[in-house]
Amino acid sequence: ELEAAITDLTLLSRKQEGCLRYDCFQSVEASGRFMLVVQWQDEESLRKHLDSQHVLEFFLETARKLAAEFLAEDYRNFSRREMEF
């Protein structure tokens, strides 16, 4: 699911003005780990990219999914019950 979202992000980003490079790599050892290598013509192009609708939606959806996964896990408290100051 994350791979598909990153693929969409990559394809849309490559079409943006000022995009010189937008490549995504997936770790061979950890399939859930990705690396983006990007290059923009100038800072203005990068800012427009970061403010674009598809980038904002990608980060919002990714954050929601990660938060849902995190909150769905059970945790145990292993810290000391009393804190010393």
Side-chain angles (χ1 to χ4, degrees):
E1 195 171 326
L2 181 57
E3 182 178 350
I6 293 174
T7 299
D8 291 343
L9 173 70
T10 299
L11 295 176
L12 289 169
S13 298
R14 285 178 177 171
K15 295 177 183 178
Q16 289 184 280
E17 185 177 337
C19 180
L20 302 176
R21 179 179 184 185
Y22 211 101
D23 293 320
C24 180
F25 299 87
Q26 185 176 26
S27 171
V28 175
E29 297 173 4
S31 63
R33 189 178 304 153
F34 298 88
M35 176 178 66
L36 293 173
V37 177
V38 303
Q39 184 178 6
W40 293 91
Q41 183 175 344
D42 51 33
E43 190 173 335
E44 182 181 347
S45 298
L46 173 60
R47 286 179 193 232
K48 286 181 180 179
H49 165 69
L50 294 175
D51 289 338
S52 65
Q53 189 66 31
H54 72 275
V55 171
L56 297 174
E57 288 175 4
F58 170 81
F59 283 112
L60 181 61
E61 279 304 307
T62 302
R64 283 182 184 157
K65 289 174 185 171
L66 291 174
E69 289 176 17
F70 178 78
L71 294 174
E73 294 179 8
D74 291 327
Y75 290 87
R76 67 177 180 84
N77 184 345
F78 63 90
S79 61
R80 294 172 45 184
R81 297 207 184 271
E82 295 181 30
M83 295 178 60
E84 295 177 18
F85 294 95

